[in-house]
Amino acid sequence: MLSLSPLAVQAAQVLTVTLLSPLLSGVISRTEAMLAGKRGPSVFQPYRDIIKFFRKQRLLPEHASWVFRAAPYAACGAYATFATLIPVLTTYPLPGATYGDILGSAFVFAFGSFVTALAAIDGASQYTSIGASRATMVGVLVEPTLIFVFFSVAFITGTDLPYALNATLRASAADVLRPAHVLATAAFFMMMLVDTGRIPIESSSATIEFGMIDDARLFEHSGPEMALFKWGSAMKQFLLYTVFVNVLLLPMGLSSTGSLQTVLLAIVLLFVKMCIVACAVVIIETTFAKLRLYKITEFIATGLLVAVLAVFAYAVGFG
């Protein structure tokens, strides 16, 4: 049985995120179309879109600075770095995992959104600025909920290291089923819907919707930079799904030996788990009525309440 070195597995982990993330987006788009009674695009359409943008000419706003040009590279770099900090394929920590706990990982992840918003403002367009301000508002509201989620899981498992969280939950099914953990997982799922632009006010396929947030930030970008932003958006979604299935919900199916066979099996199982979660997300999205823009605070506040209840349940000994 061929055994891979930790650095090779680390590289495979990053490649899994970068290469499979557009495929996950394609599966979600195809499932959405099928549920709407349409044939839908190919699951490989996101790859074609990214290649198309790489071949297009680069056009820059008149007053754009180096920030505008550097932002897509910095965002993709942040997401690739985040992929080294969380358990994507293995149960044991890889070399990059020692550089940050779950909060440090969250800061690296948030850096990608920060530079994207910064580039949107630097483009000096009113539409991109509106998108950046809305995205920042949503990020500020989501942040406390995620902190409560990670605190509650850390209280249960006694650590805030992603690999240790995975190991603790994998060792005891009772911890996965504890009320505090169930509430924390539900709150993270709600914030994952918001962060990936599914509900309550966005439509992932629309481009002119009033409540559009994420895509509005990219109006001034074109060519290779636009391709990188599209790719980075798919990576962001893939990473959130990875945290949900590998750290919180189903922390099983990862390689414990680092052999080639188990790593390949872990990649397949990870994608299968993601497709199951993606189907659930699409069903919720297609059956959930869109809310008005100002209603987003109520949705996120509900998620915050669920996360606070998770900490409260643990504190009073119920969880």
Side-chain angles (χ1 to χ4, degrees):
M1 185 177 290
L2 178 61
S3 181
L4 301 176
S5 68
L7 286 176
V9 179
Q10 184 91 83
Q13 191 160 286
V14 176
L15 286 175
T16 299
V17 174
T18 54
L19 298 181
L20 289 185
S21 53
L23 182 59
L24 178 64
S25 299
V27 170
I28 293 175
S29 298
R30 183 64 179 267
T31 307
E32 282 179 330
M34 291 174 65
L35 285 178
K38 304 174 184 176
R39 182 178 179 183
S42 165
V43 295
F44 300 106
Q45 187 59 43
Y47 293 102
R48 297 169 184 161
D49 292 339
I50 290 172
I51 294 173
K52 177 186 68 178
F53 281 117
F54 269 121
R55 291 174 175 172
K56 283 185 174 291
Q57 182 184 8
R58 176 188 294 108
L59 297 175
L60 300 175
E62 183 179 0
H63 302 292
S65 69
W66 63 271
V67 174
F68 188 87
R69 297 186 294 275
Y73 301 94
C76 284
Y79 296 137
T81 303
F82 184 79
T84 67
L85 301 173
I86 60 173
V88 179
L89 300 178
T90 64
T91 58
Y92 56 90
L94 296 171
T98 58
Y99 291 101
D101 57 7
I102 197 69
L103 289 180
S105 306
F107 285 132
V108 173
F109 192 81
F111 180 73
S113 298
F114 171 72
V115 294
T116 304
L118 208 60
I121 297 172
D122 192 62
S125 165
Q126 57 180 332
Y127 296 110
T128 57
S129 298
I130 290 174
S133 64
R134 288 175 178 172
T136 304
M137 178 196 72
V138 171
V140 168
L141 295 174
V142 167
E143 197 72 27
T145 305
L146 293 180
I147 290 175
F148 272 105
V149 168
F150 295 137
F151 276 177
S152 62
V153 177
F155 288 152
I156 295 170
T157 60
T159 178
D160 62 347
L161 296 172
Y163 280 93
L165 293 173
N166 172 278
T168 305
L169 296 175
R170 187 162 30 81
S172 172
D175 284 337
V176 179
L177 298 176
R178 295 174 71 161
H181 182 73
V182 172
L183 289 170
T185 303
F188 183 86
F189 182 74
M190 295 175 69
M191 296 305 103
M192 187 176 74
L193 294 177
V194 175
D195 244 3
T196 53
R198 293 295 160 184
I199 57 173
I201 60 169
E202 271 198 286
S203 172
S204 57
S205 58
T207 55
I208 57 175
E209 188 169 334
F210 175 74
M212 187 171 53
I213 297 175
D214 287 331
D215 287 345
R217 298 177 298 176
L218 311 180
F219 281 165
E220 292 296 318
H221 289 277
S222 60
E225 283 77 15
M226 186 65 168
L228 288 173
F229 270 131
K230 291 288 185 184
W231 204 346
S233 177
M235 290 169 62
K236 174 184 175 182
Q237 177 175 251
F238 194 95
L239 290 167
L240 286 171
Y241 276 48
T242 301
V243 173
F244 183 67
V245 299
N246 275 358
V247 178
L248 297 175
L249 185 63
L250 296 168
M252 285 76 77
L254 284 78
S255 171
S256 58
T257 62
S259 66
L260 179 61
Q261 292 87 342
T262 57
V263 170
L264 292 176
L265 181 61
I267 294 174
V268 174
L269 292 178
L270 172 64
F271 198 75
V272 170
K273 288 188 289 185
M274 285 187 171
C275 287
I276 295 173
V277 175
C279 288
V281 169
V282 171
I283 292 173
I284 292 172
E285 184 187 25
T286 53
T287 56
F288 195 101
K290 298 296 180 188
L291 302 176
R292 295 179 180 177
L293 182 62
Y294 64 86
K295 289 284 186 180
I296 191 172
T297 54
E298 298 179 9
F299 183 85
I300 297 176
T302 304
L304 176 62
L305 177 62
V306 175
V308 172
L309 285 176
V311 177
F312 182 74
Y314 176 82
V316 299
F318 183 67

